[in-house]
Amino acid sequence: MHSILKGSSLLFMLAIIGFSSTAGATDVIVAGSTTVQPLAELLAEGYESFTDDVTIIVQGGGSSVGVKSAADGTADIGMASREVKTSEFEENPGLAVHTIARDGIAIVVHPGSGVHNLSVEQIRSIFSGEITNWNEVGGENTPLIVVSREEGSGTRAAFEDMVMDDELICLGAILQPSNGAVRTTVSITPSSIAYLSFGYMDDSVAPVSIDGVGPTVANATNGSYPVVRPLNMITLGQPSEAAADWLDFILGEDGQAIVVSEGYLPVN
Amino acid sequence: MTGKQRLESVVKYILLFSALMSILIVVMIGIFTFREAIPAFRDIGIIKLLTGTVWRPGQGQYGILAMIAGSGLVTLGAVVIGVPLALGCAIFLSEIAPPAVRSIVRPSIELLAGIPSVVYGLFGMVVIVPLVRNIDVPGNTGFGLLSASIVLAVMILPTISSVSEYAIRSVPKRFREGSLALGATKWETLTKVILPGAKSGVMSAIILGLGRALGETIAMIMVIGNSVIIPFASSDNPLSIFLSRARTLTGNIAVEINYATGLHESALFATGVVLFALIMIMNSSARMLIGRGKWEKK
């Protein structure tokens, strides 16, 4: 009986010590876009190696959740892989946007489709379902298969924003719930076309130039490639001291080096 | 003596508590899902939600008819492919297979139940989908109801086969012997004596499989294409409807819940309520069917 009491009081003491040590450090909660999440985790790791008294906690949820949780205070910083919408600014005029990196969105097709270049108008007509055969854009006489992300995805929102204007992506499109699944689908489906974050491109899919400009980091950096989206950190008003310090680190030399090493474009 | 009795009553209450817990959990999940879905039912309207064919949350259009059709058709397809296969397995294992064969076949079927559904999805995506794509029908991408039904049929096979095998085995041996003694062939004994005797067990096996099929999510997302369209036949053959892409009710929730806020989120919970209702209708009609079977026997 005595030993149980002793054991439990020891546990209790340990719990208190554990509690006070975390309470001494400041937590910065970051939530939102699953595109920004892996990058934010690396940036948090990099930052924490310099400082002991701040812990950055990174959670997913998606871009819309990122904006929402920054606005209602559930997170200190929200992540979004797209611009903040006008409607979101109207609801919360106090939102402050900090762009930490940029990411290109490439148009990719199944290798061997024979089409290497499309205009923005052609891409728009393909994804809206107006063009349904490859021969309408200089390819073979085969039906086009459109692959897209699901409604609410930051990549889809950015693509709709920059390419589709007010046109809607056709309902018949194959929808896959992640960049990785979109890439696999295009790589195994002949005559398919999709849009993909630069970070996910590899040899299993073939890139398409837009108006003659290839989807490369160099073209995106010099501004000639048209479909580039910001990766944003969002705060409500001015960030807290700890959050501001982390954002400074991200925008500084070390942070931007991490951004570049992950295949994203730095902000200057 | 009193100590023993006390222990007995304590155990009794612990068991009662466990039983009540399971009811409580079901009720709580039901209430929670329904409560979250109320704004959708109120702002969109039940009729519009159930009969609407366009799902564009970004444009404020919420119709889940396409998903109801998708879930229904893929389940139908899985049953058509999976049930004969599973029943065949069950009959083979219980009536025909010698013990040595049984000791290999049965664990392999049970192993199927242990494979995570994401692995089925992956298999479907890289093996079944390219195979289905070979069917020469315009617009066929391989992603769609047929691929999903095949994957689902394999997934429900172990459930249906093991429960039916148990039901067939529990038909008393004297029924078989009596039938054979009267000069019936093995086939006649099987179809006229054993299967009717095991009917209610086989029915509940199929219902269990149906429940699993309706609820399957991740494997479906990977092979069905997820397009929000009501499946349609793209050639003269009405069966080509199974080459159409579709989205299931479960897939609708899983694909979009990460991003959903406000009315969109509520509409996804409403999708969950519809799924809940469908499964309850199915289970209770199955119960009625099974009950009636027993009644007739008496």
Side-chain angles (χ1 to χ4, degrees):
Chain A
M1 208 51 180
H2 260 289
S3 61
I4 295 175
L5 268 181
K6 258 189 205 161
S8 54
S9 56
L10 197 68
L11 271 180
F12 188 53
M13 274 165 62
L14 277 176
I16 290 181
I17 295 167
F19 242 93
S20 51
S21 73
T22 46
T26 319
D27 284 350
V28 176
I29 297 173
V30 187
S33 162
T34 48
T35 307
V36 190
Q37 190 184 2
L39 180 61
E41 273 160 8
L42 288 173
L43 289 167
E45 239 171 71
Y47 176 67
E48 279 165 4
S49 64
F50 287 106
T51 170
D52 289 331
D53 39 325
V54 178
T55 309
I56 315 267
I57 301 165
V58 183
Q59 301 161 349
S63 293
S64 302
V65 171
V67 176
K68 192 179 149 204
S69 44
D72 64 19
T74 21
D76 300 292
I77 302 178
M79 301 177 281
S81 56
R82 55 166 169 81
E83 304 277 7
V84 175
K85 294 176 196 159
T86 326
S87 62
E88 288 166 335
F89 269 128
E90 276 165 7
E91 268 175 55
N92 295 284
L95 290 176
V97 177
H98 317 264
T99 302
I100 60 155
R102 288 178 314 133
D103 177 26
I105 297 177
I107 305 298
V108 295
V109 293
H110 183 78
S113 75
V115 171
H116 304 288
N117 182 45
L118 292 168
S119 69
V120 173
E121 288 74 26
Q122 283 173 325
I123 296 169
R124 193 180 300 143
S125 310
I126 287 172
F127 279 88
S128 68
E130 229 170 280
I131 292 179
T132 55
N133 196 306
W134 277 111
N135 64 13
E136 292 173 67
V137 290
E140 288 166 30
N141 178 22
T142 43
L144 251 158
I145 295 163
V146 176
V147 184
S148 167
R149 290 288 305 280
E150 73 286 13
E151 187 101 25
S153 141
T155 313
R156 174 172 173 149
F159 176 78
E160 284 177 328
D161 207 35
M162 290 181 284
V163 178
M164 297 303 287
D165 274 341
D166 288 331
E167 296 276 342
L168 299 170
I169 292 180
C170 58
L171 287 171
I174 294 180
L175 300 185
Q176 291 293 8
S178 68
N179 273 304
V182 167
R183 184 181 59 199
T184 314
T185 305
V186 172
S187 71
I188 64 166
T189 312
S191 59
S192 59
I193 184 168
Y195 51 88
L196 205 56
S197 160
F198 269 23
Y200 283 85
M201 284 214 295
D202 64 15
D203 295 341
S204 65
V205 292
V208 171
S209 300
I210 300 181
D211 293 320
V213 183
T216 60
V217 171
N219 285 341
T221 314
N222 69 27
S224 56
Y225 187 76
V227 194
V228 176
R229 61 170 164 170
L231 301 184
N232 287 328
M233 293 291 186
I234 295 146
T235 54
L236 187 61
Q238 284 311 302
S240 69
E241 200 182 317
D245 201 40
W246 185 49
L247 289 175
D248 285 343
F249 165 80
I250 296 174
L251 294 175
E253 214 171 288
D254 295 326
Q256 290 299 302
I258 296 176
V259 165
V260 173
S261 72
E262 287 307 296
Y264 296 106
L265 317 174
V267 284
N268 22 26
Chain B
M1 198 56 184
T2 45
K4 247 186 189 171
Q5 278 172 345
R6 198 172 296 150
L7 185 71
E8 290 238 329
S9 68
V10 167
V11 169
K12 198 175 91 187
Y13 282 114
I14 289 176
L15 294 177
L16 178 70
F17 175 74
S18 320
L20 287 179
M21 230 13 217
S22 57
I23 299 177
L24 194 73
I25 291 171
V26 171
V27 171
M28 293 242 300
I29 291 177
I31 290 175
F32 175 77
T33 313
F34 193 77
R35 200 193 62 192
E36 295 292 314
I38 286 175
F41 287 133
R42 194 185 50 214
D43 296 351
I44 304 164
I46 294 183
I47 303 295
K48 220 172 163 191
L49 191 77
L50 290 180
T51 59
T53 56
V54 180
W55 173 270
R56 280 191 193 278
Q59 316 291 316
Q61 286 172 295
Y62 303 94
I64 61 170
L65 188 64
M67 278 76 99
I68 296 176
S71 271
L73 281 170
V74 76
T75 307
L76 178 75
V79 165
V80 168
I81 302 169
V83 166
L85 206 62
L87 279 184
C89 274
I91 295 169
F92 176 75
L93 284 177
S94 57
E95 299 293 314
I96 297 161
V101 176
R102 194 184 301 153
S103 69
I104 299 170
V105 176
R106 190 187 291 144
S108 339
I109 292 176
E110 277 162 8
L111 206 61
L112 281 180
I115 298 175
S117 53
V118 65
V119 176
Y120 280 106
L122 212 55
F123 174 77
M125 202 167 172
V126 298
V127 178
I128 310 277
V129 167
L131 278 178
V132 170
R133 188 165 45 235
N134 291 330
I135 303 174
D136 193 20
V137 165
N140 176 20
T141 60
F143 288 93
L145 290 165
L146 180 60
S147 303
S149 297
I150 294 172
V151 170
L152 209 48
V154 181
M155 295 180 79
I156 62 175
L157 186 120
T159 316
I160 301 182
S161 123
S162 61
V163 178
S164 323
E165 189 203 341
Y166 181 76
I168 293 171
R169 280 175 169 278
S170 53
V171 173
K173 211 169 181 175
R174 56 175 195 279
F175 284 20
R176 273 183 203 90
E177 288 162 352
S179 166
L180 291 171
L182 285 169
T185 61
K186 243 190 159 177
W187 173 250
E188 284 165 343
T189 308
L190 187 66
T191 51
K192 302 230 165 91
V193 177
I194 299 174
L195 284 184
K199 194 169 98 188
S200 71
V202 171
M203 280 298 284
S204 41
I206 295 174
I207 299 303
L208 271 177
L210 275 177
R212 169 105 210 252
L214 261 184
E216 180 47 46
T217 312
I218 186 75
M220 294 298 97
I221 292 177
M222 293 170 82
V223 296
I224 204 167
N226 300 315
S227 315
V228 194
I229 45 175
I230 292 184
F232 58 92
S234 53
S235 77
D236 296 335
N237 186 342
L239 275 180
S240 67
I241 191 172
F242 279 98
L243 294 174
S244 172
R245 293 185 287 277
R247 181 185 284 199
T248 61
L249 289 163
T250 50
N252 192 38
I253 302 173
V255 164
E256 292 186 3
I257 195 72
N258 279 348
Y259 310 103
T261 53
L263 192 59
H264 184 190
E265 189 178 20
S266 179
L268 292 178
F269 275 101
T271 313
V273 170
V274 172
L275 191 65
F276 214 65
L278 276 181
I279 290 181
M280 281 207 300
I281 291 170
M282 210 178 63
N283 277 356
S284 42
S285 54
R287 222 166 264 271
M288 265 170 54
L289 274 176
I290 294 165
R292 206 165 57 191
K294 273 182 184 157
W295 174 256
E296 278 166 2
K297 237 185 338 188
K298 277 175 192 167

